[in-house]
Amino acid sequence: MGSTSAENASTPPDGTGTRAGTGRRDLIKRATALGLLAVPTMSFLSACASGGGGDDQDKAEAGEKTAENPLGVNNSAQLEFVLFDGGFGKEYAEDAVKVYEKNFPDATVKFSATQKIQSTLQPRFNQGTPPDLIDNSGAEQMDMGVLVGKKQLADLTPLLDAPSYDDPDKKVRDTLRPGIVEMGQFDGDQVWVFYYAYTVYGVWYSQKALDSLDAAYPKTWDEMLAVCAKAKKKGMAGWTYAGKYPYYIPFSLYPMIGKVGGVEVLDAIDNLEPNAWKHPAVKACFEAYYELYKKGYVLRGTPGLDHIQSQTAWAKGDALFLPNGSWVENESANVIPDGFEVTVSAPSGLDSSDKLPFGTLWASGGEPFIVPAKAKNGTGGMEQLRIMLSEASSKNFTSKVKSLSAYNGGTDGIELTPGLKSGVAALELAGDNVVNPRLQDWYVKLQKEQIGVGGLGEMMAGRLTPAEAIKKIQGYADDAAKDSSIKHYKHQ
């Protein structure tokens, strides 16, 4: 979230993203570059389907388009900006708002931050009076697939085709990290969501703690179990995770499935194909994770911990490994001790028979920003994003929240933190082997409440066997595939 933060998941919630109709490997080849962050989100929104109130008469009049104002923002119209208050905090956004206020001194900006995105904003979508710009993240993230399917969002193509903030000869889209634009596309060329952060998901740990065990990061599952056994002898659990938000578990489990069985297994899962969850790679990886529970390598009480509590236990050294996203370094900064050496690695695989090499990683855009279709000043919302995609705003974001932004650059002169540095190294090691499962933005309820809470959470708490969890999750996926009220998306 990413924050999801978690809850951000950045809340989770985040690229080398792909969309239906985009060649994943083409994107990924171009994406060796860097970037990182953000979490993951809970269900929402059939109610956003309808919505009265608000019409074009309520919208702010267009302003004059100039070199300084290429989108034609009405310089006296109010801008309302609602930010998810998660692992990235709100200072980076407040700083960008000050730039907007300086550029449009006659405008009033109403800025607020909340963790209650759905409960705060769903009624306003229904009434046709949404804010102009929303950071749609966290446990109460609104379901992006539903919002797109119900035509609740504005197409962000005008923003992407506008001159960039720093270089009028370069479009905004040409300043972004590979995959960011494509990830905001759901079933065509229009872009409905802008992922501002760039998240590296994986297994997070203290390099200092690992060194104290005289152990190297495990590349195979036998090695993982051996390291966990060493940790247990020293009074440290092998793993913990956000037990109340078990959709964090996929941050390391999904790329492991892709490593073991190939990207096509993850694509089949995203496509809601029959029996996709019954693939041998899924079974093997579920059984591997269940072994952590059976051998007592999961921190006692983990199923009752939220993301902050699990991260705190990890930072205190109660557990060695934590599945999470790159917002965790910032979100846990107040509890991570000096010398901890925050590090992220790609998931361990099973063995040498895995389809993809060690280093296979999940990395993608995170922290999704949206402009509602019925926003009064949607143009202002896009301009605020254009400002945030300047080099100065991007540097400010990276230096303050320890994460890379969607802007392809903005790190010159910034001393990278240990977690950020390790994330960049993990991306370099991954090379072309970057995966981007889409369930968390295509089908939020399925990913969070059903697969996460109803399936994986129950399995890791010992209340379901791997076979039972797979059967249950496949049932959830089949129901979603048959549900005509849900808009369905597919990798092409």
Side-chain angles (χ1 to χ4, degrees):
M1 279 256 64
S3 178
T4 238
S5 87
E7 256 288 26
N8 230 336
S10 116
T11 107
D14 79 229
T16 55
T18 66
R19 55 142 176 128
T22 306
R24 169 182 259 112
R25 287 166 191 77
D26 287 343
L27 291 174
I28 278 151
K29 277 181 194 164
R30 303 183 342 252
T32 340
L34 336 35
L36 65 144
L37 159 113
V39 218
T41 26
M42 230 117 170
S43 103
F44 160 159
L45 199 163
S46 0
C48 273
S50 59
D55 55 37
D56 286 344
Q57 293 181 352
D58 296 324
K59 291 185 179 290
E61 290 184 12
E64 181 184 356
K65 290 187 178 183
T66 64
E68 291 74 28
N69 183 13
L71 290 170
V73 176
N74 182 325
N75 60 15
S76 62
Q78 175 179 283
L79 173 71
E80 185 178 2
F81 179 0
V82 178
L83 185 84
F84 170 70
D85 191 2
F88 292 144
K90 56 187 179 180
E91 191 175 354
Y92 78 94
E94 290 173 327
D95 291 344
V97 164
K98 290 174 186 173
V99 177
Y100 186 99
E101 291 173 327
K102 180 182 177 183
N103 293 351
F104 303 99
D106 294 332
T108 300
V109 179
K110 182 180 179 183
F111 175 83
S112 60
T114 179
Q115 293 190 355
K116 304 290 186 182
I117 294 293
Q118 174 188 334
S119 50
T120 301
L121 299 182
Q122 179 176 345
R124 295 186 56 186
F125 269 86
N126 297 341
Q127 294 158 11
T129 58
D132 304 305
L133 179 63
I134 301 166
D135 173 13
N136 182 32
S137 194
E140 283 204 22
Q141 179 190 56
M142 296 179 284
D143 191 320
M144 242 88 67
V146 174
L147 288 169
V148 172
K150 301 298 182 181
K151 304 188 186 307
Q152 296 283 321
L153 302 183
D155 178 14
L156 300 178
T157 299
L159 163 67
L160 297 170
D161 286 340
S164 67
Y165 196 81
D166 300 306
D167 183 354
D169 293 328
K170 189 180 287 188
K171 292 180 180 180
V172 168
R173 68 170 67 245
D174 297 326
T175 68
L176 305 176
R177 296 189 187 280
I180 289 292
V181 170
E182 290 82 0
M183 199 171 168
Q185 297 168 321
F186 281 65
D187 56 359
D189 292 333
Q190 292 172 298
V191 179
W192 307 107
V193 183
F194 189 87
Y195 290 86
Y196 184 67
Y198 193 80
T199 305
V200 167
Y201 301 100
V203 180
W204 293 79
Y205 56 97
S206 160
Q207 185 62 53
K208 180 181 179 181
L210 192 61
D211 290 344
S212 74
L213 298 174
D214 192 26
Y217 181 80
K219 295 182 178 180
T220 68
W221 204 250
D222 283 346
E223 291 173 359
M224 170 59 75
L225 296 176
V227 172
C228 289
K230 270 191 170 185
K232 190 174 183 179
K233 285 181 181 177
K234 292 282 186 76
M236 176 188 289
W239 283 65
T240 189
Y241 57 89
K244 288 186 177 178
Y245 307 114
Y247 47 84
Y248 274 53
I249 297 169
F251 294 160
S252 57
L253 178 59
Y254 284 179
M256 181 184 182
I257 291 170
K259 178 186 187 319
V260 173
V263 176
E264 58 272 16
V265 181
L266 296 177
D267 285 354
I269 287 172
D270 285 343
N271 290 345
L272 305 182
E273 292 178 15
N275 298 318
W277 287 94
K278 296 180 181 179
H279 191 282
V282 176
K283 181 175 182 289
C285 292
F286 272 47
E287 288 174 347
Y289 269 61
Y290 189 63
E291 206 167 358
L292 296 174
Y293 159 76
K294 283 177 61 179
K295 290 184 179 295
Y297 294 154
V298 177
L299 179 67
R300 178 172 295 198
T302 287
L305 302 180
D306 64 19
H307 60 295
I308 297 297
Q309 291 167 325
S310 63
Q311 290 164 194
T312 301
W314 166 74
K316 285 169 56 183
D318 295 338
L320 182 58
F321 297 121
L322 177 80
N324 218 300
S326 42
W327 60 82
V328 68
E329 186 177 24
N330 188 62
E331 191 168 54
S332 303
N334 62 331
V335 292
I336 292 174
D338 291 341
F340 188 84
E341 295 182 66
V342 176
T343 308
V344 62
S345 285
S348 308
L350 284 182
D351 52 40
S352 59
S353 69
D354 293 351
K355 291 284 184 68
L356 297 176
F358 175 74
T360 298
L361 188 74
W362 180 359
S364 66
E367 216 57 28
F369 282 74
I370 54 175
V371 173
K374 291 190 176 181
K376 289 186 178 180
N377 187 16
T379 304
M382 292 189 204
E383 176 63 16
Q384 180 68 82
L385 274 175
R386 194 176 78 95
I387 291 168
M388 290 167 65
L389 289 165
S390 67
E391 183 175 10
S393 285
S394 178
K395 278 187 172 181
N396 188 51
F397 175 80
T398 297
S399 61
K400 286 186 173 173
V401 310
K402 306 177 180 68
S403 173
L404 298 181
S405 78
Y407 176 79
N408 196 5
T411 57
D412 292 345
I414 296 177
E415 185 177 349
L416 299 183
T417 57
L420 193 54
K421 198 178 296 183
S422 77
V424 172
L427 282 165
E428 290 174 350
L429 176 62
D432 290 351
N433 298 304
V434 176
V435 299
N436 181 20
R438 299 306 303 273
L439 284 181
Q440 72 175 17
D441 48 296
W442 284 356
Y443 306 107
V444 172
K445 180 178 180 180
L446 174 63
Q447 165 69 2
K448 293 195 153 190
E449 295 183 5
Q450 298 178 332
I451 295 169
V453 176
L456 291 172
E458 292 294 285
M459 183 185 81
M460 293 304 292
R463 293 187 286 265
L464 290 177
T465 65
E468 290 168 339
I470 287 170
K471 182 178 179 181
K472 193 173 183 182
I473 290 171
Q474 186 63 62
Y476 289 139
D478 291 343
D479 289 343
K482 295 171 190 168
D483 189 341
S484 59
S485 71
I486 297 176
K487 184 169 178 62
H488 297 105
Y489 305 96
K490 288 187 181 297
H491 295 285
Q492 299 300 311

